[in-house]
Amino acid sequence: MRHLFLPVTGAIALSCSALFTGPASAQDIADTIYSGGTILTMDDSAPRAEALATKDGRILAVGTRADLLAHQGESTRAYDLDGRTMLPGFVDSHGHVVMGGLQALSANLLAPPDGGVTDIASLQEALRGWMADNQEAIAASNLIVGFGYDQSQLAEQRHPTKADLDAVSTDVPIILVHQSGHFGAVNTAALVANDITKRTPVPPGGIIRYGADGEPDGVLEENAFFMVLGQMLGGVGDEGFKAFARAGAKLWASFGYTTAQEGRATPQVAAIAREVAAEGGMGVDVVVYPDVLVDRDFILANQSATYDNGVRIGGAKLTIDGSPQGFTALRDRPYFDPVGTYPPGYAGYASATPEQVQDAINWAFGNNIQILTHANGEGASDMLIAAIDAAEATHGRADRRPVLIHGQFLRPDQVAALDRLDVFPSLFPMHTFYWGDWHRDRTVGPINADNISPTGWVRERGMMFGTHHDAPVAFPDSMRVLSATVTRRTRSGDILGPHQRVDVMTALKAMTLWPAYQHFEEAEKGSLEVGKIADFVILSDDPTAVDPEALDTLKVVATIKDGSEIYRAKDGPQKTLLVPPVGHHVLDVAHAAARKN
């Protein structure tokens, strides 16, 4: 914590000046005035400000220090930014906040820099370490969960098998979630618990892998994995899922997100989010998109433009294909050099049929429901574009704001089609850091890798776009998202597609104002303008002033939702209560036991 008595400069200087200003009406008196640092508004008409005032959770005024003195009263708090930078709170363009809690509460199997797993042996040790620290939870759930392994980052460049996991435990079922969320690995106990044998029917859109003996080897893909994951996590019960939701919301807030997304939910998950919100356990706003192939009646009955305790059903989610780094995204050409046993000309596969895709898009357009569609490969995007073309021919053009999620292997003609059809692209440039080298060497090759997550092509057409983390695929690390969008630097230091890079302000809009538009909330969120909700993030430095290569070193030091702090790092800024005359100010040391950043 900084010294309790701030000098008579900065925020306290407002107190001195207030003695010489005329009285303001009660409705114009601010609850809080923020100053003492850079304020980036995302408002093109006034992109920077010296000070900002809030009242009742809304922005009251934005401008110079002198402008805002008129809104200062005896009870107004001065929030000293202490040289840091304030922006609109980040809006999650795509993530899974409820399931993000699973990441927070399971064994960390991520590769560096987010974890320490580099081979099968270190993966096994990470599991054993987590088990030693979580004996009570394991006994209660009879389940061991690990999250975030990635075969592309393991020395063996393969998925762990049941034999690898049996070496950790033969008694308690183990399930590992791949970092993409589209694969999993289980031990023999988990196979037995789920009645998976060589005679088990393979679900459409999924794969059960088998060993040389013809028996399942423990590796599951897509719908085969989702089926097992749902059954195994079902044992944690409602309270377990509520713990996931609370942990996910805290994790999002720690990275500056004030609006989160649950980007593929069931009605049960939506109910969990609502219960946690009603108990005051979210803190951030959450927009939920239930799976359109699961329960359309639920979506129709519950879709809303307004929040209830900070949660609303925003529309529907459709998934067409899988993971590009796992070679299950549906391409329009063969993969470049996939690792594994694949037939000649292998181009991935769809998890939904063309008929299902067309039916889902028609239903959404016919009911004016916003639909978010996961499509990674060019083949999947072709299916989506064809379905939207047909749906518009039937139902006409309207402001539905359909969203393409990921679109990592887009062609230029597909970007043009998205523009023509008013499809909002929520892109994944963070992939350039985590899997850029893998895409260059294995999935699409060195030429096409330059154009993954093509933000440059999108901006050439003047289109808005969102950028996302897809957590728990990766941590909801806002500064990693920002850095990857601006630099496109990979883990190895390579730069993929310099022509696809964008400037810092464009990248920030893709995290604030433009995803607010994506959610039909641009009138309420995404920029610091009078009347909008007082959702802010405070960063350790000005992202427009630092070396772009240092963007990933910036820290979130505070997150503010509806005018109240919901997260503060250990060295976060202080708030000061102004009580003129000078010398009678009182320091509000809220969140003294704030979490370490």
Side-chain angles (χ1 to χ4, degrees), residues 555-569:
K555 302 295 183 184
V556 171
V557 295
T559 304
I560 295 161
K561 180 79 186 78
D562 298 324
S564 298
E565 278 190 352
I566 57 172
Y567 169 79
R568 186 195 293 194

Side-chain angles (χ1 to χ4, degrees), residues 327 329-338 341-349 443:
F327 310 115
L330 178 62
R331 302 205 62 205
D332 64 350
R333 68 200 78 178
Y335 278 92
F336 180 71
D337 187 16
T341 304
Y342 296 100
Y346 175 77
Y349 56 91
T443 67

Side-chain angles (χ1 to χ4, degrees), residues 399-468:
D399 187 16
R400 302 182 184 94
R401 302 186 194 180
V403 179
L404 166 67
I405 300 294
H406 306 322
Q408 293 192 65
F409 300 160
L410 287 169
R411 304 185 306 263
D413 66 288
Q414 291 176 322
V415 175
L418 299 177
D419 187 13
R420 172 176 57 84
L421 294 168
D422 286 338
V423 177
F424 184 95
S426 177
L427 300 177
F428 204 172
M430 186 190 264
H431 246 257
T432 57
F433 175 77
Y434 283 108
W435 294 285
D437 300 312
W438 187 250
H439 289 320
R440 182 195 61 224
D441 299 338
R442 295 297 186 180
T443 67
V444 297
I447 295 175
N448 289 319
D450 277 351
N451 297 317
I452 65 171
S453 300
T455 51
W457 286 348
V458 168
R459 286 307 294 155
E460 284 174 4
R461 305 188 70 87
M463 299 167 64
M464 293 184 287
F465 66 93
T467 54
H468 60 254

Side-chain angles (χ1 to χ4, degrees), residues 479 537-541 551-558 569 597:
M479 294 301 97
V537 58
I538 298 173
L539 302 181
S540 56
D541 210 333
L551 288 170
D552 62 345
T553 68
L554 300 183
K555 302 295 183 184
V556 171
V557 295
N597 190 9

